[in-house]
Amino acid sequence: MSDPRIKQIKIKTGVLKRVGKEKLSYRKEADMQKAKMEKMKEEGKDEYDVKKMAEVYQETLMMIPDCHRRLVSAHTDLKNVLETEKDLNEAEEYAAALTQIQEAEEQLKVE
């Protein structure tokens, strides 16, 4: 029978990984939308279209702090679980969780 603590580590590692990818995805999307908006302005597109694109860009930017907050929460949560379950440090899930924590710390530095 699988240890429920390992299952928890696996779940929390997955959450951390997903939220990190989400944050990077929103960042990339915001950059693409900004470039598209600038291109529309340069080409002299309709003011309404440019304004709508700016609104979409702002909505995307508003998602980044939310993802960052969830990333911090998931990072802290997984780190706390790993600290309380040090006896499982031989498990591959434990090692994967440590790797994911390191990746998340890099993502936390990116705004």
Side-chain angles (χ1 to χ4, degrees), residues 3 5-6 9 82 85-98:
D3 190 335
R5 297 175 303 167
I6 289 181
I9 290 173
L82 292 183
E85 308 299 345
K86 286 188 188 241
D87 59 314
L88 296 174
N89 66 354
E90 297 294 316
E92 69 180 63
E93 289 85 354
Y94 191 93
L98 287 175

Side-chain angles (χ1 to χ4, degrees), residues 42-58:
E42 288 172 13
E43 293 175 351
K45 295 284 184 184
D46 185 45
E47 188 66 33
Y48 177 78
D49 292 338
V50 173
K51 189 176 178 183
K52 279 296 173 191
M53 192 67 207
E55 287 176 17
V56 171
Y57 173 65
Q58 287 302 319

Side-chain angles (χ1 to χ4, degrees), residues 4-60:
R5 297 175 303 167
I6 289 181
K7 188 174 181 180
Q8 275 301 99
I9 290 173
K10 227 175 169 178
I11 290 170
K12 291 183 186 305
T13 302
V15 168
L16 184 60
K17 188 174 190 176
R18 179 179 45 80
V19 174
K21 281 183 180 179
E22 214 173 288
K23 181 182 175 191
L24 292 176
S25 172
Y26 277 118
R27 180 78 258 158
K28 191 192 276 185
E29 185 179 337
D31 293 341
M32 287 180 2
Q33 288 175 348
K34 185 174 183 179
K36 187 175 180 181
M37 187 175 62
E38 295 299 324
K39 186 178 178 192
M40 288 173 77
K41 284 180 184 176
E42 288 172 13
E43 293 175 351
K45 295 284 184 184
D46 185 45
E47 188 66 33
Y48 177 78
D49 292 338
V50 173
K51 189 176 178 183
K52 279 296 173 191
M53 192 67 207
E55 287 176 17
V56 171
Y57 173 65
Q58 287 302 319
E59 287 177 16
T60 303

